[in-house]
């Protein structure tokens, strides 16, 4: 066994083997995989191993398609069968919402060249004569869908990796991982130690135990999961081809051919957790006792749809464990607080995602960053707040609703609240409807008396659409008070603060006390890793405001520049709260509560001051994400309620009041402002998103070389504002954009109704050669083409007159 390696993968399930293979493929051939038992000894061996391309996230869908297309290549390359059957998958829509979901997926497939299209009932009956299609309103077909052999795939990766020089050691449990002072790791095994710069935790069911060896706590918990296989079905035995699988997600089961029978699996409402306090070390190839009663409802729906299931006897039941994260997406990526420790844990559709996951993991380690925006997978989307109680509640909910549609603005309630601000109860008492943002409860909108006090969900306009409109118009006409406590806030103090920030961020830091600047943070590939507002509060004190959801994500970048001596960096997100008071009357509103002059000559745009508002010390910044005249007032968390009450009291007789973050999102779209993880992500280049003007090439900053290499290249796509002719639904993000002749040219990143301007709007990236004002396009809202046009300028205050007034 090697005593040194470029990377050590722990776990020989399908995921560990795929990562090993992809690392070797990208040129790291000096890599080792350690497996405590035989390969496939966790969830892998007993998986139903269905493969699908459908996912609500476009990038995840692209990676699933990569995976589906890889199997045949892998077989050809290694000579090892993956047991691939690709007779296709039929997706059934019983409801209008499901039809919208499938049509949207079909439109995305057209944009990315993925195989997914509608078929008629006649065609579907020909493809699968055993299905009763009554009551189905739309049928899609994915020709590459099907299933694989779990151990065949795992072994094919192993063969491919070994052929490139990787080592695999079975029956070699890892007993410890120890971080060394030089940034490398020692991986201890029963057969000796290996020193390595990269440890990869792909220990599946034992992901928590392996993580704990490095002091990491992962929000994961296993559940049981069952499927059964029928005896031979005569009609299938008589066929000379394989039947497509059936994705009847409204029926909440999956179904496919297995041998000459059918396999049916279900995510039942009455689910069961397993090994909550830790996966037993000795657990191996065991299964749990069958409990088909639990999935009876799902089975009955399957029988109704495919009567042959009920006519055949049951040959075999598999009830095995799988391990889940709170949102059922993988916990992926380098642990932000550590050097050289990569997690890939909590994968549910492992056979749809293993290839994409291996590829992205390898890119991240070998090249420094994945080529796609993976924030939906990034483990940094959870922080210390995602404890055991939260995780269990969310996993229970995820499991039970595995096949439910998750709508664009959906806010699941399980496990909440987990983090609240002092004003939470007050906000609740005035009708606050809350969403979850990096664990924080934050008000989305406020129900006025007589308005619904809960949200409905759907792809089209819902019951919150009017109340949110009322708030947005109130702000545009008078003023609104938006809780922005969930923004991330950092303080950097000390003699080296300015130089550290200059070394990190791409813009030049303000030289004068009281000035602010906007700045991008540049990623390893030259794209946008973040966007921040930096304010110089004193000679040696800066306040940085960024995306709250990306707080842990950004630690990876902040850690790359060593802090100079006597300089301190601290997160102030928990300690500080804030309100954005914006709208034409915002000045009058705040002025009633402070002696400081808010007149433009005393307090211009992009300036800051420490002022007292209603007797409370605040850092006031004259900026507003609404695009309107406005200030951000940041105070100590303990003062939040008093500040809020003072502001609300004054608002009362000015036609102003509380506004939630959903209206804020609509308002910033009217102004064409981008937002982190939507318009700004490492996938986009500054010259594409319009941020290049904020980059100062006459100084050094993080990843300057990568940006310099891109800076001379023409933009591939450009960020634009679109007006969409839509009257029952607005774009929400992810909708593809086509030219009128059907040529795909881009994708929506955010969408909303612009209540202040009376138009349905979207932001999105469009191929640079057609990204010009007036260009006619089609946006696939609800998956159907909607006539739209690219606007020459944002519809609200394009010259920034109100902002500076
Ligand atoms: C009943 C059932 C049906 C399923 N059906 C499907 C399906 O149809 N489609 C689909 O895509 N997915 C399906 N899955 C999910 C799929 O099985 C998983 O997503 C996938 O197997 C996860 O693989 P993994 O490599 O992450 O983990 P695992 O398979 O759990 O592998 C982890 C490996 O790490 C090893 N290990 C642990 N600790 C150590 C240590 N200390 N040292 C060395 N090695 C260690 C283990 O022995 C194990 O081999 C199903 C799962 C179940 C339970």
């Amino acid at each position: 066994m090697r005593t040194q390696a470029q990377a050590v993968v722990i776990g020989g399930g399908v995921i560990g083997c795929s990562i090993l293979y992809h690392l070797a493929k990208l040129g790291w051939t000096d890599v080792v995989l350690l497996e405590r038992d035989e390969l496939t000894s966790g969830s892998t061996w007993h998986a139903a191993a269905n493969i699908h391309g459908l996912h609500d996230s476009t990038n995840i869908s692209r990676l699933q398609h990569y995976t589906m297309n890889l199997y045949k290549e892998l077989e050809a390359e290694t000579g090892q069968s993956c047991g691939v059957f690709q007779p296709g998958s039929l997706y059934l829509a019983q409801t209008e919402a499901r039809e919208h979901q499938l049509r949207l997926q079909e439109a995305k497939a057209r944009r990315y060249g993925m195989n997914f299209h509608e078929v008629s009932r006649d065609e579907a009956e020909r493809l699968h004569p055993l299905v009763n299609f009554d009551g189905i309103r739309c049928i899609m077909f994915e020709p590459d869908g099907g299933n694989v052999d779990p151990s065949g795939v795992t072994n094919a990766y192993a063969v491919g990796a070994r052929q490139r020089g990787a080592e695999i050691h079975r029956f070699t449990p890892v007993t410890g991982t120890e971080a060394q002072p030089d940034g490398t790791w020692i991986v201890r095994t029963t057969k000796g130690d290996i020193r390595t710069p990269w440890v990869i935790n792909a220990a599946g069911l034992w992901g928590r135990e392996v993580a704990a060896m490095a002091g990491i706590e992962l929000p994961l918990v296993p559940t049981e999961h069952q499927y059964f296989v029928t005896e031979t079905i005569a009609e299938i035995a008589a066929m000379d081809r394989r039947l497509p699988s059936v994705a009847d997600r409204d029926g909440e089961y999956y179904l496919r051919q297995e041998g000459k029978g059918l396999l049916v699996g279900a995510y039942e409402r009455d689910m069961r957790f397993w090994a909550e306090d830790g996966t037993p070390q000795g657990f191996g190839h065991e299964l749990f006792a069958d409990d088909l009663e639990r999935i009876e409802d799902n089975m009955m729906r399957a029988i109704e749809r495919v009567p042959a299931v009920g006519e055949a006897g049951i040959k075999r039941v598999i009830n095995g464990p799988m391990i889940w994260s709170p949102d059922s997406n993988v916990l992926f990526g380098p642990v932000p607080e550590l050097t050289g420790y990569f997690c890939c844990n909590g994968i549910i559709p492992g056979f749809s995602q293993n290839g994409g996951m291996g590829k992205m993991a390898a890119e991240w380690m070998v090249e420094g960053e994945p080529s796609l925006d993976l924030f939906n997978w990034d483990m940094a989307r959870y922080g210390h707040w995602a404890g055991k109680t939260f995780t269990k509640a969310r996993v229970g909910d995820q499991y039970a609703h595995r096949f439910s549609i998750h709508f664009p603005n959906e806010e699941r309630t399980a496990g909440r609240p987990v983090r609240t601000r002092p004003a939470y109860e007050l906000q609740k008492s005035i009708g606050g409807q809350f969403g979850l943002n990096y664990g924080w409860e934050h008000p989305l909108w406020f129900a006025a008396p007589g308005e619904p006090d809960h949200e409905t969900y759907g792809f089209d306009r819902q019951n919150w659409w009017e109340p949110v409109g009322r708030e947005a118009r109130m702000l545009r006409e008078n003023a609104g008070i938006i809780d922005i406590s969930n923004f991330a806030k950092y303080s950097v103090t000390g003699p080296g603060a300015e130089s550290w920030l200059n070394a990190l961020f791409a813009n030049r830091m303000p030289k004068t006390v009281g000035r602010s600047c906007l700045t991008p943070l540049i990623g390893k590939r030259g794209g946008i890793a973040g966007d921040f507002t930096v304010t110089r509060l004193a000679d040696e004190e800066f306040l940085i405001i960024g995306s709250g959801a990306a707080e842990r994500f950004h630690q990876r970048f902040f850690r790359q520049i060593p802090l100079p001596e006597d300089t301190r960096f601290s997160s102030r997100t928990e300690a500080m709260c804030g309100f954005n008071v914006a709208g034409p009357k915002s000045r009058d509103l705040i002025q009633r509560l402070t002696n400081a002059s808010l007149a433009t000559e005393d307090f211009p745009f992009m300036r800051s001051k420490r002022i007292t508002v209603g007797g409370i010390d605040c850092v006031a910044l004259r900026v507003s994400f609404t695009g309107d005249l406005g200030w951000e007032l940041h105070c100590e968390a303990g003062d939040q309620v008093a500040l809020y009450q003072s502001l609300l009291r004054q608002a009362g007789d000015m036609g102003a009041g509380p506004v939630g973050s959903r209206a804020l999102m609509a308002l910033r779209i009217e102004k064409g402002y981008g937002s982190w993880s939507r318009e700004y992500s490492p996938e986009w280049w500054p010259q594409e998103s319009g941020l290049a003007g904020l980059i100062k090439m006459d100084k050094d900053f993080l990843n300057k070389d990568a940006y310099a290499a891109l800076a001379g290249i023409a933009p591939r796509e450009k960020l634009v504002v679109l007006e969409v002719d839509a009257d029952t639904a607005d774009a929400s993000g992810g909708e593809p954009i086509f030219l009128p002749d059907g040529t795909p040219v881009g994708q929506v990143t955010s969408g909303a109704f612009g209540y202040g301007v009376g138009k349905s709007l979207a932001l999105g990236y469009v191929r640079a050669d057609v990204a010009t004002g007036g260009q006619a396009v089609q946006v696939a809202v609800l998956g159907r083409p909607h006539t739209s046009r690219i606007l020459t300028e944002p519809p609200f205050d394009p010259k920034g007159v109100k902002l500076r007034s």
Side-chain angles (χ1 to χ4, degrees):
M1 190 163 83
R2 284 179 183 145
T3 55
Q4 302 236 355
Q6 184 65 42
V8 173
V9 180
I10 305 173
V14 69
I15 300 300
C17 289
S18 171
I19 294 176
L20 189 77
Y21 168 83
H22 282 90
L23 283 171
K25 205 169 173 178
L26 266 195
W28 280 11
T29 52
D30 173 16
V31 284
V32 174
L33 182 144
L34 304 170
E35 165 55 49
R36 63 178 188 121
D37 200 304
E38 282 288 2
L39 297 181
T40 76
S41 293
S43 286
T44 296
W45 72 273
H46 55 245
N50 303 312
I51 56 173
H52 289 289
L54 183 87
H55 199 285
D56 289 332
S57 150
T58 306
N59 277 354
I60 297 176
S61 199
R62 289 166 76 187
L63 291 169
Q64 294 189 177
H65 276 267
Y66 166 79
T67 307
M68 293 198 317
N69 292 324
L70 185 64
Y71 291 124
K72 292 258 165 71
E73 222 178 273
L74 198 59
E75 283 186 337
E77 180 190 322
T78 62
Q80 162 72 47
S81 165
C82 293
V84 194
F85 292 104
Q86 289 180 300
S89 297
L90 286 167
Y91 289 75
L92 314 185
Q94 295 189 30
T95 63
E96 187 182 40
R98 185 70 68 182
E99 181 178 345
H100 291 156
Q101 187 196 34
L102 295 184
R103 291 203 183 283
L104 190 56
Q105 187 66 17
E106 187 199 27
K108 287 184 191 181
R110 270 192 285 136
R111 157 136 165 90
Y112 288 104
M114 304 185 290
N115 237 343
F116 191 87
H117 59 265
E118 187 170 11
V119 289
S120 65
R121 177 168 176 161
D122 283 354
E123 174 67 357
E125 281 172 347
R126 197 194 58 72
L127 285 163
H128 204 315
L130 302 188
V131 178
N132 169 7
F133 291 97
D134 287 354
I136 300 298
R137 50 188 294 152
C138 161
I139 309 165
M140 296 282 173
F141 186 57
E142 181 174 64
D144 299 328
N147 66 286
V148 291
D149 165 25
S151 68
V153 171
T154 310
N155 282 300
Y157 280 131
V159 171
R162 279 202 198 98
Q163 281 171 351
R164 290 178 160 84
E167 274 183 13
I168 295 178
H169 298 279
R170 295 172 304 138
F171 303 102
T172 311
V174 169
T175 53
T177 53
E178 290 162 21
Q180 301 302 301
D182 66 354
T184 64
W185 290 83
I186 295 208
V187 178
R188 302 212 186 275
T189 81
T190 49
K191 298 183 183 164
D193 299 343
I194 311 181
R195 188 182 272 269
T196 181
W198 277 104
V199 172
I200 296 130
N201 178 351
L205 289 174
W206 294 265
R208 292 171 297 175
E209 287 69 28
V210 167
M213 292 176 191
I216 306 159
E217 209 171 308
L218 292 178
L220 292 170
V221 63
T223 68
E224 296 186 11
H225 177 59
Q226 294 184 88
Y227 66 84
F228 65 88
V229 179
T230 70
E231 300 283 2
T232 295
I233 292 172
E235 292 97 315
I236 298 180
M239 276 183 186
D240 57 359
R241 66 177 174 96
R242 202 162 161 106
L243 290 169
S245 62
V246 179
D248 179 10
R249 295 187 171 177
D250 297 316
E252 301 193 333
Y253 61 87
Y254 54 84
L255 182 149
R256 69 162 169 86
Q257 183 176 338
E258 171 71 14
K260 295 293 175 195
L262 290 169
L263 177 155
V264 180
Y267 292 91
E268 68 279 14
R269 292 286 158 97
D270 180 20
M271 50 78 64
R272 293 287 182 278
F273 291 102
W274 177 70
E276 287 174 44
D277 296 322
T279 304
Q281 283 305 323
F283 188 82
H285 282 230
E286 295 102 311
L287 290 171
F288 308 127
D290 311 348
D291 189 359
L292 286 182
E293 230 169 80
R294 244 167 50 216
I295 63 168
E296 198 178 321
D297 289 350
N298 314 62
M299 271 168 78
M300 294 317 289
R301 286 191 292 269
I303 290 170
E304 218 172 294
R305 187 64 58 208
V306 184
V309 173
E311 289 153 17
I314 291 176
K315 185 160 95 182
R316 175 167 97 238
V317 180
I318 300 280
N319 184 7
M322 61 208 310
I323 190 161
W324 299 66
S325 77
D327 61 5
S328 73
N329 275 338
V330 61
L331 301 176
F332 193 72
V335 177
E337 298 75 21
L338 299 177
T339 302
Y341 194 102
F342 198 99
C343 282
C344 191
N345 302 98
I347 302 109
I348 300 308
F351 289 89
S352 299
Q353 298 186 342
N354 60 67
M357 226 163 247
K359 185 172 192 295
M360 292 295 107
E363 284 183 2
W364 207 329
M365 285 178 272
V366 176
E367 296 170 357
E369 196 175 88
S371 53
L372 295 181
D373 171 18
L374 294 182
F375 196 65
N376 286 332
W377 273 1
D378 195 328
M379 67 175 304
R381 69 190 184 279
Y382 291 106
H384 62 83
W385 49 270
K388 280 195 169 161
T389 311
F390 173 81
T391 302
K392 188 176 168 190
R394 299 298 270 196
V395 168
D397 182 58
Q398 284 291 324
Y399 185 99
H401 297 93
R402 175 77 183 143
F403 287 151
S404 305
I405 300 173
H406 293 296
F407 295 104
N409 286 294
E410 185 181 85
E411 296 284 350
R412 311 235 19 119
T413 54
R416 292 168 52 197
V418 60
R419 289 171 112 187
T420 57
R421 300 283 184 178
Y424 175 64
E425 290 299 334
L426 171 57
Q427 288 166 335
K428 238 168 60 173
S429 74
I430 55 172
Q433 307 297 313
F434 293 84
L436 191 70
N437 183 293
Y438 198 58
W440 296 108
E441 292 296 325
H442 73 116
L444 301 170
W445 54 280
F446 294 84
E451 285 179 347
D453 65 350
H454 67 282
E455 294 201 312
T456 55
Y457 298 115
F459 289 108
D460 46 8
R461 292 174 185 163
Q462 297 295 306
N463 68 350
W464 49 263
W465 196 85
E466 283 297 342
V468 170
R470 175 180 46 71
E471 290 176 8
R473 282 188 293 268
M474 173 178 74
L475 186 145
R476 285 284 188 244
E477 285 159 21
N478 299 314
I481 301 157
I482 308 171
D483 190 334
I484 52 164
S485 305
N486 58 337
F487 288 7
K489 291 151 296 238
Y490 314 99
S491 161
V492 184
T493 57
E498 183 179 356
S499 63
W500 184 76
L501 289 166
N502 268 321
L504 180 68
F505 291 127
N507 201 349
R508 180 164 293 105
M509 296 300 105
K511 289 233 159 280
T512 313
V513 172
R515 292 210 180 218
S516 303
C517 77
L518 302 176
T519 178
L521 175 72
I522 299 298
K524 190 77 186 168
R525 294 180 190 272
I528 302 158
D531 62 309
F532 297 84
T533 307
V534 183
T535 300
R536 189 164 201 147
L537 294 178
D539 275 346
E540 296 185 354
E541 183 181 2
F542 291 81
L543 174 69
I544 296 115
I545 296 179
S547 161
E551 175 142 19
R552 199 167 170 219
F553 173 90
H554 285 139
Q555 297 309 314
R556 293 200 189 102
F557 297 86
F558 296 168
R559 287 182 74 237
Q560 287 181 42
I561 309 284
L563 270 177
E565 221 164 282
D566 296 333
T567 300
R568 282 171 312 282
F569 169 94
S570 59
S571 169
R572 303 276 294 143
T573 309
E574 291 189 19
M576 289 173 82
C577 289
F579 297 103
N580 182 356
V581 185
K585 295 186 185 166
S586 58
R587 174 181 284 123
D588 300 348
L589 197 163
I590 306 171
Q591 194 68 76
R592 290 179 180 190
L593 295 164
T594 183
N595 293 328
S597 167
L598 301 181
T600 291
E601 54 275 26
D602 299 317
F603 206 144
F605 181 58
M606 289 301 280
R607 299 294 165 85
S608 74
K609 280 184 188 174
R610 290 184 199 273
I611 62 173
T612 305
V613 179
I616 287 157
D617 292 337
C618 295
V619 173
L621 311 184
R622 194 173 156 190
V623 291
S624 177
F625 200 34
T626 61
D628 224 310
L629 171 70
W631 279 260
E632 285 183 4
L633 303 174
H634 297 278
C635 65
E636 292 301 317
D639 291 331
Q640 189 200 19
V641 173
L643 178 60
Y644 199 39
Q645 283 170 331
S646 296
L647 292 168
L648 289 177
R649 229 174 279 130
Q650 297 306 324
D653 68 352
M654 300 178 83
V659 168
S661 62
R662 201 164 284 157
L664 175 61
M665 285 300 116
L667 295 165
R668 63 106 187 161
I669 291 172
E670 289 179 344
K671 176 69 181 163
Y673 282 161
S675 174
W676 163 250
S677 99
R678 294 266 185 172
E679 290 71 35
Y680 303 147
S681 89
E683 219 173 299
W684 299 113
W685 302 345
Q687 63 267 44
E688 296 172 331
S689 56
L691 296 185
L694 297 174
I695 298 180
K696 298 289 179 291
M697 292 304 280
D698 58 351
K699 69 172 194 100
D700 273 339
F701 55 86
L702 186 66
N703 297 320
K704 181 181 174 185
D705 289 354
Y707 175 64
L710 291 182
I713 306 176
R716 301 159 298 182
E717 296 185 349
K718 276 189 170 171
L719 182 60
V720 296
V721 188
L722 300 137
E723 180 183 348
V724 185
D725 292 346
D727 48 16
T728 59
D730 303 296
S732 60
E735 295 85 356
I737 303 170
F738 302 92
L739 289 178
D741 69 1
T743 309
V745 286
Q747 186 173 316
V748 170
T749 45
S750 304
F753 191 74
Y755 301 96
V757 297
K759 295 174 195 304
S760 187
L761 299 172
L763 295 180
Y765 282 90
V766 167
R767 218 175 63 198
D769 61 315
V770 292
T772 43
Q775 171 71 50
V777 291
Q778 307 269 10
V779 175
V781 175
L782 304 176
R784 304 252 193 209
H786 282 62
T787 304
S788 310
R789 59 221 136 259
I790 298 176
L791 299 180
T792 313
E793 53 186 20
F796 178 75
D797 192 25
K799 305 277 176 287
V801 176
K802 297 190 187 208
L803 204 59
R804 290 176 174 76
S805 63

